[in-house]
């Protein structure tokens, strides 16, 4: 990941689910600044296959993970999502769901695990995994 102002080199960003919701998803929904600006990449994971998405955002070939803050999925579909006509993200399972009380409001959320497949069908995973955390509001 590219250097983030205010963080020392070698810092490992590993937020738990509640931190992702409280410090990133909720402020984003409220159009407020997020914690550690620059740690999350603002881009749509459906705009390009994962390797191009990483490259387009300055992540090198050795990058193992990244955190993206993307536009909401208005269809609420979790089955198959086509990615730039070069592959599909296929939901494997719902990993977790919960509610978090923040500033007097309850936020219901879900976390899905998706695998990237080449083409438009379930042709076998290419090894890329996405954890999709969404607000259920």
């Amino acid at each position: 990941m590219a250097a983030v102002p205010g963080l020392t080199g070698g810092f490992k960003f590993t937020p738990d689910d509640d931190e992702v919701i409280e410090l990133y998803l909720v402020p984003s929904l409220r159009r407020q600044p997020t914690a550690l600006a620059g740690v999350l990449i603002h881009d749509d994971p459906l705009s390009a296959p994962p390797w191009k998405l990483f490259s387009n955002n300055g992540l090198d070939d050795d990058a193992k993970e990244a955190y993206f803050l993307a536009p909401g999925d208005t269809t609420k579909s979790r089955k198959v999502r086509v990615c730039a006509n070069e592959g599909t993200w296929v939901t494997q399972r719902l990993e977790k769901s919960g509610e978090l009380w923040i500033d007097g409001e309850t936020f219901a959320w879900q976390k899905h695990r998706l695998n990237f497949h080449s083409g438009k069908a379930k042709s076998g995973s290419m090894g890329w995994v996405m954890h999709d955390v969404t607000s259920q509001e």
Side-chain angles (χ1 to χ4, degrees):
M1 178 171 278
V4 176
L7 296 180
T8 59
F11 174 80
K12 178 86 169 130
F13 181 70
T14 55
D16 64 30
D17 293 334
D18 287 348
E19 290 170 329
V20 168
I21 304 301
E22 183 175 2
L23 301 175
Y24 300 97
L25 183 58
V26 170
S28 176
L29 292 171
R30 291 177 172 170
R31 300 190 192 288
Q32 298 172 339
T34 59
L36 298 174
V39 171
L40 268 68
I41 299 166
H42 293 261
D43 203 343
D44 183 356
L46 300 182
S47 67
W51 56 92
K52 287 184 183 175
L53 193 63
F54 273 41
S55 175
N56 293 347
N57 286 283
L59 299 168
D60 61 29
D61 292 339
D62 296 330
K64 302 284 188 238
E65 63 183 26
Y67 289 80
F68 290 89
L69 193 55
D73 179 5
T74 57
T75 66
K76 301 293 183 196
S77 171
R78 294 284 169 234
K79 301 218 186 285
V80 175
R81 294 192 249 169
V82 176
C83 176
N85 291 320
E86 293 190 50
T88 53
W89 286 105
V90 179
T91 300
Q92 301 304 305
R93 68 175 180 263
L94 171 65
E95 287 192 339
K96 194 175 181 184
S97 62
E99 291 184 345
L100 196 58
W101 182 258
I102 303 170
D103 297 331
E105 292 183 72
T106 301
F107 288 88
W109 59 274
Q110 292 184 335
K111 180 180 178 180
H112 291 83
R113 178 187 184 103
L114 298 92
N115 287 353
F116 190 76
H117 297 249
S118 64
K120 293 185 179 181
K122 292 184 181 182
S123 58
S125 175
M126 296 182 67
W128 291 88
V129 176
M130 175 169 50
H131 298 275
D132 183 30
V133 179
T134 57
S135 168
Q136 298 304 296
E137 305 302 315

